[in-house]
Amino acid sequence: MASRPDTDDYLNLFLSDIPLMDVRAPVEFAKGSFPCAENAPLMNDEERHRIGICYKEKGQDKAIELGHQLVSGDLKAQRIEAWKRFAAQHPEGYLFCFRGGLRSRLTQQWIKDSGIDYPLIKGGYKALRRFLIDSLDQLIETQEFRIVSGRTGTGKTRVLLDLPNPVDLEGLANHRGSSFGRQVTPQPSQIDFENQLAVTMLKAHHLIGGPVYLEDESRLIGRCALPDRMRERMAESPLLVLEQPMEERIAIIRADYVEAMFSDYRARDGELAGWLNFRDYLLSALDRIHKRLGGERHQHLRQLMERALDQQQSTGNLDGHHAWIESLLTDYYDPMYDYQLSQKQGRIMVRGNPETIRAFARSHP
């Protein structure tokens, strides 16, 4: 493998999806890393903890000495083999630790001793993270946003992804943004969400250009929080209001929250456990808005939902879901959305069906 220099070209790393080898401990990686990073630690969590204590009590030299004792022999050989595999699979990649200091240089030296020159990222995780935070702050201030709005069930995300330069916030957060919005797989950490958002915004600006289209979101998407300034900018930006007839909205809700979610739970958990977890997902989502619905309305909707689930389980027929979906839209989500939209009338650029929204975006770059 030809030798390549170490790099501080952070923008190119993210725009080009360069594979990154994160040699920090697993606990550090779990708190947050980068979209193209893979964890191949120099030390595990326990080793890192012990070395940290030694560093505080006895200084750097003793900590380094302990590190060489802990990571030696077969254990050292195993970790070098993992790094060599990464280097062979990703000859264009780079490695990093927290600050681009001792851990990454030691990793780099051990790989080199085994016959492979592999470059590191100057400044490490800290510099990459600072670059993304600063870049996102700048883009939030300067980028033109256009917001896709519409009542619940109009299929905003589907239309968003057909627009010229979309950033799918719900996709990045792995959550649909409502009480029913959680997915089978977990949400990213807040840091992972912010890093992915920054990278996606950088690509939207540098690789595509033009206005960025976003779905209308509150500050929290599940547990992932949008930057406050981004939410402020979104609240000032022009709206494209998506409209759909009630029957189409019911069909979209059923497809996304009943059919797709049951399929995902079944694929993850098997037939019986998948069904029980899917049932709990729907009923728990309804229960989370119990106070806002009021006791009587919540009880009525829960009975409709239980009846629909029982019918689905016994016959496979999904038609029973129509009743609770329509009632929830008509009596709960629509009045709430219509009130919010009444406060935003001056921001509406266009309103209409999916093709109207797509056509407008194509003709107004």
Side-chain angles (χ1 to χ4, degrees):
M1 184 184 296
S3 178
R4 293 179 294 125
D6 299 337
T7 188
D8 58 5
D9 186 357
Y10 310 132
L11 179 61
N12 179 62
L13 291 173
F14 292 122
L15 292 183
S16 302
D17 291 330
I18 300 298
L20 308 176
M21 185 168 75
D22 186 342
V23 303
R24 297 177 304 152
V27 67
E28 297 171 281
F29 183 82
K31 289 178 182 176
S33 194
F34 306 106
C36 289
E38 182 178 315
N39 195 207
L42 170 65
M43 298 177 289
N44 65 27
D45 295 338
E46 175 62 24
E47 292 157 357
R48 172 177 173 269
H49 178 66
R50 290 177 61 184
I51 290 168
I53 292 173
C54 182
Y55 180 87
K56 288 179 182 178
E57 294 177 349
K58 300 179 181 179
Q60 184 182 57
D61 290 344
K62 289 293 184 182
I64 292 172
E65 182 180 331
L66 176 60
H68 281 285
Q69 293 172 8
L70 293 175
V71 185
S72 61
D74 289 344
L75 189 58
K76 177 180 176 180
Q78 290 169 11
R79 292 184 188 170
I80 291 173
E81 282 304 308
W83 299 332
K84 288 169 66 178
R85 281 196 301 274
F86 185 93
Q89 291 166 358
H90 306 292
E92 75 280 26
Y94 293 85
L95 67 89
F96 69 91
C97 65
F98 184 66
R99 290 189 180 87
L102 187 60
R103 282 187 286 177
S104 56
R105 295 199 178 280
L106 183 58
T107 301
Q108 188 181 50
Q109 184 60 53
W110 285 0
I111 300 174
K112 188 173 183 178
D113 291 344
S114 72
I116 298 174
D117 277 328
Y118 207 66
L120 59 78
I121 296 170
K122 298 175 185 177
Y125 170 86
K126 193 172 182 181
L128 291 168
R129 171 77 170 152
R130 174 47 55 190
F131 170 77
L132 289 182
I133 290 171
D134 292 345
S135 297
L136 183 57
D137 287 346
Q138 182 180 18
L139 288 169
I140 287 171
E141 293 299 332
T142 59
Q143 184 66 56
E144 178 184 356
F145 293 151
R146 293 178 182 175
I147 309 302
V148 178
S149 187
R151 288 174 164 180
T152 301
T154 49
K156 294 183 289 293
T157 303
R158 301 177 188 191
V159 172
L160 174 77
L161 296 177
D162 284 340
L163 302 183
N165 193 8
V167 170
D168 180 7
L169 298 173
E170 292 184 0
L172 298 178
N174 196 35
H175 196 283
R176 292 194 179 102
S178 71
S179 173
F180 291 83
R182 83 165 188 245
Q183 303 281 17
V184 171
T185 51
Q187 287 193 262
S189 70
Q190 179 65 26
I191 290 174
D192 278 335
F193 172 69
E194 293 169 359
N195 288 345
Q196 180 70 273
L197 174 59
V199 171
T200 306
M201 289 287 291
L202 283 168
K203 290 180 178 179
H205 177 73
H206 289 280
L207 303 182
I208 302 176
V212 166
Y213 290 87
L214 301 162
E215 191 172 335
D216 204 359
E217 303 288 353
S218 59
R219 189 181 73 86
L220 286 175
I221 308 175
R223 68 177 186 193
C224 294
L226 289 173
D228 289 339
R229 182 57 183 151
M230 183 169 189
R231 188 68 199 97
E232 291 171 4
R233 283 289 327 279
M234 291 171 66
E236 303 162 355
S237 298
L239 297 175
L240 292 75
V241 179
L242 177 60
E243 297 175 331
Q244 293 270 34
M246 177 59 77
E247 287 303 314
E248 181 63 23
R249 294 169 62 203
I250 292 170
I252 289 170
I253 293 286
R254 196 176 85 171
D256 289 349
Y257 294 89
V258 177
E259 296 173 46
M261 289 300 291
F262 175 45
S263 177
D264 288 346
Y265 274 107
R266 185 170 52 187
R268 188 191 72 177
D269 303 328
E271 197 70 37
L272 178 57
W275 168 258
L276 293 173
N277 288 332
F278 163 69
R279 182 185 179 94
D280 178 68
Y281 149 76
L282 273 186
L283 292 169
S284 297
L286 186 66
D287 291 345
R288 278 193 291 274
I289 54 174
H290 173 234
K291 288 185 179 179
R292 283 177 281 170
L293 287 169
E296 186 176 336
R297 185 164 54 177
H298 168 262
Q299 189 60 34
H300 173 65
L301 284 167
R302 206 178 200 281
Q303 288 171 355
L304 291 177
M305 185 180 281
E306 289 174 337
R307 198 176 304 149
L309 287 164
D310 291 343
Q311 182 185 50
Q312 180 182 354
Q313 184 180 25
S314 60
T315 69
N317 189 319
L318 301 175
D319 292 345
H321 290 285
H322 186 293
W324 71 261
I325 294 172
E326 182 172 18
S327 179
L328 192 60
L329 293 176
T330 303
D331 299 332
Y332 177 69
Y333 281 112
D334 286 1
M336 184 167 54
Y337 173 78
D338 291 347
Y339 171 76
Q340 293 168 351
L341 186 63
S342 72
Q343 312 298 304
K344 309 172 183 177
Q345 291 299 318
R347 295 165 47 203
I348 298 174
M349 298 178 76
V350 63
R351 61 194 307 159
N353 64 24
E355 188 45 49
T356 299
I357 303 298
R358 294 187 194 103
F360 180 87
R362 288 194 298 266
S363 61
H364 293 76

